[in-house]
Amino acid sequence: DRDHPAGLARTVRVVIVIRHRAVGGEPNSAHTRGLAVDLVIPASPLRYKFLKEALVVFKRIGISEEFIHVDVDKNLPQGVLWTYGRKE
């Protein structure tokens, strides 16, 4: 059933964390401790469904034009939602 979160999970592609350093990631990133993922979700309705569920589960969410970041790092500020600006 595509309306169920499990159906959504089949359409989400996890971006491999190894790229973190290559793209200039933060040194204190939750990625470096295995506590974060960047998700590429191909269609707007799917992104909406994912965010609706993610806001219930995750206390740290970042949104860029290319991916959605979620993490469970309790050592970083909680209850935050941010966007990534364009790099000039």
Side-chain angles (χ1 to χ4, degrees), residues 32-74:
T32 62
R33 293 183 295 284
L35 299 172
V37 295
D38 292 339
L39 304 167
V40 175
I41 304 173
S44 180
L46 294 175
R47 286 190 296 274
Y48 177 83
K49 285 181 181 182
F50 176 79
L51 281 172
K52 187 175 170 184
E53 298 294 327
L55 286 166
V56 174
V57 176
F58 296 99
K59 304 297 181 222
R60 297 180 44 76
I61 300 173
I63 301 172
S64 87
E65 289 184 11
E66 291 102 24
F67 62 87
I68 298 173
H69 167 99
V70 293
D71 75 60
V72 292
D73 192 337
K74 300 230 186 273

Side-chain angles (χ1 to χ4, degrees), residues 15-33 36 38 67 69 84 87:
V15 177
I16 298 175
V17 176
I18 295 170
R19 79 178 185 94
H20 174 76
R21 287 198 179 118
V23 297
E26 295 293 323
N28 191 36
S29 168
H31 286 286
T32 62
R33 293 183 295 284
D38 292 339
F67 62 87
H69 167 99
Y84 294 90
K87 293 187 177 183

